[in-house]
Amino acid sequence: MPGKLKAKIVAGRHLPVMDRASDLTDAFVEVKFGNTTFKTDVCHKSLNPQWNSEWFKFEVDDEDLQDEPLQVTVLDHDTYSANDAIGKVYIDIDPLLCSEAASVISGWFPIYDTIHGIRGEINVLVKVELFNDLNRFRQSSCGVKFFCTTSIPRCYRAVMVHGFVEELVVNEDPEYQWIDRIRTPRASNEARQRLISLMSGELQRKIGLKVLEMGGNAVVGYLQCFDLEGESGLVVRAIGTACTLDKLSSGSAPNTNTHMHPNTAPASNACNSPSKDGKEPVFGEDLTSSSGPPTPFRALPTTSSSPPPFSPSKPCSRQSSSSDTDLSLTPKTGKNTCFFYLQEFPFFTLTSFPPGFLVHVGGVVSARSVKLLDRIHNPDEPETRDAWWEEIRQEIKSHAKALGCHAVVGYSESTSICEEVCILSASGTAAILNPRYMREGSQLELEPSPPSCGFCHIPYDELNMPFPAQLTYCYLCRRQKVPDVLFTTIDLPPEAAVTGKGCLIQARLCRLKKKAQGEVNATAISNLLPFMEYELHTQLMNKLKLRSMNSLFGLHIQISVGENMLLGLASATGVYLTALPAPGGIQIAGKTPGELSNEHHILTIQKRINDTIAKNKELYQINPPELTEEVVGSPIPEPRQRSRLFRSHSESSDEVSELDLSHGKKDAFVLEIDDTDAVEDIHSLLTDAPTPTGFYSCNTEIMPGINNWTSGVQMFTSVRVFRLSNANLTNQGLNKIFTDLCENLLKSFYFKLRSMIPCCLCQLNFTVAVPEEELIQVTVTAVAMTFDKDQTQEKTADKPPTKGGSETEEQLQFPLELCADSSSANCQPTSKISAASVDYGSFADRCSTWLELLRLKAHTMRRGSVKTISSLERCSPLPEGRSRSLRSSRSFGGSSVTVVKMTPLSFLPGTRIIKYLGIINMFFIRETTSLREEGGVSGFLHTFIAEVFSMVRAHVAALGGNAVVSYSMKECMLMENPNKNQAQCLINVSGDAVICVRETDQEPTPSTTNIGHTSASATDEAT
Amino acid sequence: MTMELDVFVGNTTIMDEEVYQLWLDGYTVNDAVKVRMDGGVMEECEASADVLLSDTMDQYRTFQMCERLLHSPSKLGNQLLFQIPPHRQAMLIERYYTFDDAFVREVLGKKLSKGTKKDLDDIGAKTGVTLKSCRRQFDNFKRVFKVVEELKGPLVENIRHHFLLSDKLARDYAAIVFFANNRFETGKRKLQYLTFQDFAFCAGQLISNWTVGAVGEPSVLFPSFVCYMDVDLDKEFLQELKELKVLITDKDLLDQHKSLVCTALRGKTKAFNEMETNFKNLSRGLVNIAAKLTNTKDVRDFFIDLVEKFIEPCRSDRWTAADIRLYLTHYNNSAHILDTFKHQVVWDRYMGVVKSCIFKMYHD
């Protein structure tokens, strides 16, 4: 019995009227955990019942504590018939299991019903007493912290980054288990909610176990998704980065030292990959095997490695990369050794890193695969799904290797499902990480290039390039080679030197597809995929040039499948990296130069393009310093630096023409004016409206070029669904509709948020879906943040000095290394490997001791927690005393609701995070059979999203927090049937609950400041 | 580009005050879009008509969702669905309960019943207020009335506490509730020149001087509670008013009163002659109003009586507001010097209110 869970039901308020005769309700509460249920007394005839129950105690395994949510059901007592359910609250008690997170859950929770929505609120108190358990074979992983944040959390220091963790669990979907009988909506929805909650708990526990095995104590960049595979089942999967984190005492500066764990124990390695031992895809139809196809054309359906100019189409390089998917210890380039090769998947879900961690970035690597879903026969052995992902990860790894990189950062995975077809996608950025961080005390190597441009330098061998690319000497250090364009999935490294500001760049694409079934359908889709990726890259490239920028950060390409079309949406933040060469312009060429009118037409278009480029340069303040040609030493002759508007994404190679012939049979290099596609391209290029004055937008954490945020923050979610009315649409028509949809959405945001100017939309996260044949759904979550306009210019002006400052700091931090041989990079490999293998044992030792320590620490903390609880109670947002006094007054006059801020970023400007309270991971279903009465689909979804926000806020407030960071809406699945007056929607959200204080505040007591605030407003309103 | 679905939800609920006002005023979405376009909001942010339409629809939906909460404003403060900063909440409530003076003037003193509600289209047409807005305002009156009707304690305080309104607005609602409860006649042609604010002022005077609560004596039964009603006039006081009749029935007293007043007024005003001639008439008018107030019917006619018996005669004689002030002050004070007149307290309580009401109601 390693744990005792205690719950107390205090009161309810604003309950719905359940008895029409008396206009009142006889409410009571059932509290359920596992198979144990307790009941409160019935509180007769009240809409604001006071139960003030005893403490209900559950004695349970900590394994169950991790898996199960506490289920609170509010019911209306009925003497003669069955009791009516009012609604439920699921409380995830995971945050209470970690000593450093919350110690009590106490507050008002919205009572939620899947049919009626929120129906009143209930005040609940929950505590957990954990007993010390030294069982080594335990199945629980209490104490492992989880963070959605994709960087090292603000009040922690990374002692070690261990690497990739993944897990998935599968089950039958309760929605499809009423086959012969009639589906009862409430029962089905609640069963699904509960099941997903259970599965998430189990998944988190299993990942936690892996982390403990690796010797870590936390998962950073935890990304959990679920796939509703329809009748074939339900998959919940998660990936993350295992770390060992140390809490920083407030005041001490964050130490940037991070060490990579060289390897995991062989035993745990085997454990890490249940799918490793040769399991074969048994159920799914593997249509496009990801490894193997040696011809570039065949390879494309499943794979695409970027950046665009680096097409994976060069036959020789493709072949080599796809053939050595096995774990080779020989690095592609002799330059860096890689302990990472020892790891099965040297992947990191992080998108920003401690300074110096990232050495070089190769480019985007991605892989897609189309699968046919089949029933998961044995939920305990999810080997098919495991194998699918394993395959994709192997491919990503081989792509990274082809780019001369040993690791993949900013890694993420996603799926798109339509009927029985599923597209699995994974993408990341191939990178070389600093071996210096591998081990503590072995900081031998000094990165020779200045930190502000080092990551731009090519990781691959110049003479043996994996793909054709134009290289120049770095415009900052002039020593190393850099590519002409750089695409990545990560955030802009803070030390990077940037010219001007960044902006959101999107490529949008629709492709019609014939309706088909099964294998035929899957083949059709996989045949379309490469063309879509190719088009998207071309668009991105052209738009990048149009904005006079040379790199993309936070690139996210989503391809969504529907019954009769595929949607592709690529979003990224364009930046002008000072280290990279200036992008060339865009040139238009006509096919038939003889015609005069044509020539004139070309000239007008060319002029428009040039004007736009000039305008954009001004808009984004891109004024790169003038460089003398000789210093640049550009190997590219001047005229060729102007790249033309290509139908292909590659500049010069012959290989691409091969590829091109395979699908075009036309000269695709030059944009021809009598080519309708090309006209369309230009059109789409020029229709992108510039952001209105005072607005900036990006899809990364921070906007390059803005760093003086003020405190205005507005997180929002917006959903639009467009019904295609025209039955015979062309690809072009669809593209236009889709582009307009996205553009109008952005315009709407600018308009709605105009009161916040000057302001920047950050982490603009677009998700597209084809929920039904004629529907296109776009879901956006982002945050608008205000900033100080005047200071912006100042800071940008200051930029070079600041950079210099960080540089010296870096140097000061490792003064000894400055003297070390800076050219020793090449002779490092062997020594590093040996160092790792020698020290491995001692590390394992340290891990186990650390485990003991953790347990001891957890034990003492837990015992000490009694005190914390009482003090917390006193200052919790709604202490008992206060709520009672509120109750005694006739009306609930004053405002007693804690303000909870939400943001998709890892920080709130102007504040300091002082405590992480735990992960928020919630899944809700809402259904209605009275769609019209609820204001149509818009009214229905508007209410539901508002309800989800309010439930997230309530849970955070109950944990004692006042903000959610790294918030994301990972799923918003809407199904409607207006004819039947019905609709159903599923939403999955996640984030990190935190306590943050204003940066100016000295010693933080957020909850008390909160009380001060709320009580002040309460008295305000009471008087 | 018309959307099948189009929603925007902020963590902090975004509300545009201008759109809120349009919604309150009962504009349809399309009309509201037109008004906004004409207002030039489009140039502000390079928006298109589509954007404006989408924004307006979104805001309207938000307001509709909030409306339920606005019906019991105290709930708005501790509900969890919308995160709205306290000052915005106050704005929402205040605006929601704000009414058009033109509209309220039409229903003032009427029974807040279904019957009146049926007449709202006519009232709307007459005042130029949209039917939707009329309904909202009428329902607000009714809601406030229903809640405070049964409550003990000071009326204005009760309204302010339960509906979280500003002092000014709470006072106006107190006037509306008071008028509706006592069914004062305000609709007659002769009263048409009076504005809502005139009546609201008078109502305030009546509430604070003529109701049970005005005396401020704790009840005998529940000494610890302030147990009185502000909505009804003090019945005892109304009975006592009958005693004032002596001022006009006793010939000596009437003459004495007149000579005292005339002495004081002589040479101070141009209208002296008219005052002297009309004294008995005016005095009879005022005292008769007082004596009749025990009848509910006559209570209702209080204002029309004031106009007919006092204001109109004065106006036809072209008294200035200063004349009225002068006359009534001396009329009131002189009664204290009458040695046989014993009802000084009741007289002052009556005349204090009548005086200030007439001052307010006498427009030059």
Side-chain angles (χ1 to χ4, degrees), chain B residues 70-84:
Chain B
L70 287 165
H71 289 166
S72 45
S74 55
K75 267 190 193 165
L76 194 66
N78 59 9
Q79 52 83 32
L80 303 175
L81 191 56
F82 299 104
Q83 184 156 285
I84 308 169

Side-chain angles (χ1 to χ4, degrees), chain A residues 264-290:
Chain A
T264 48
S268 69
N269 222 349
C271 237
N272 274 347
S273 50
S275 56
K276 204 172 127 191
D277 28 23
K279 283 166 189 160
E280 299 203 345
V282 183
F283 307 112
E285 192 85 22
D286 189 3
L287 278 157
T288 55
S289 128
S290 56

Side-chain angles (χ1 to χ4, degrees), chain A residues 714-715 717-718 752 892 953, chain B residues 7 9 11-12 55 78 83:
Chain A
Q714 172 66 277
M715 189 282 293
T717 289
S718 185
K752 275 199 188 281
F892 289 88
R953 289 194 301 257
Chain B
V7 295
V9 191
N11 182 36
T12 303
D55 178 61
N78 59 9
Q83 184 156 285

Side-chain angles (χ1 to χ4, degrees), chain A residues 290 299-306 364-370 389 391-399 411-414 423-428 529 533 557:
Chain A
S290 56
L300 273 160
T302 52
T303 66
S304 113
S305 78
S306 334
V364 171
V365 284
S366 73
R368 283 177 216 283
S369 150
V370 183
W389 287 111
E391 204 174 81
I392 289 221
R393 289 175 194 139
Q394 288 292 2
E395 183 171 340
I396 289 274
K397 192 178 165 184
S398 71
H399 285 326
Y411 180 73
S412 66
E413 294 174 348
S414 63
I423 302 181
L424 283 71
S425 315
S427 72
L529 282 180
E533 300 232 17
I557 301 177

Side-chain angles (χ1 to χ4, degrees), chain B residues 21 27 111 186 246 257 262 306 355:
Chain B
Q21 196 55 54
Y27 282 83
K111 206 171 166 188
T186 65
V246 72
H257 195 185
C262 288
L306 279 185
K355 239 178 11 185

Side-chain angles (χ1 to χ4, degrees), chain A residues 679-734:
Chain A
V679 173
E680 204 56 46
D681 272 0
I682 296 190
H683 196 70
S684 71
L685 257 179
L686 293 169
T687 46
D688 273 12
T691 51
T693 358
F695 273 109
Y696 291 96
S697 57
C698 63
N699 76 332
T700 46
E701 277 250 318
I702 40 164
M703 174 68 177
I706 299 177
N707 32 27
N708 44 302
W709 303 107
T710 46
S711 57
V713 167
Q714 172 66 277
M715 189 282 293
F716 61 86
T717 289
S718 185
V719 184
R720 281 193 185 181
V721 174
F722 184 76
R723 186 176 285 278
L724 304 165
S725 46
N726 197 344
N728 38 12
L729 271 166
T730 56
N731 277 335
Q732 274 77 26
L734 267 176

Side-chain angles (χ1 to χ4, degrees), chain A residues 368-379:
Chain A
R368 283 177 216 283
S369 150
V370 183
K371 301 286 182 189
L372 266 184
L373 297 173
D374 198 352
R375 188 171 276 277
I376 302 168
H377 290 284
N378 183 1

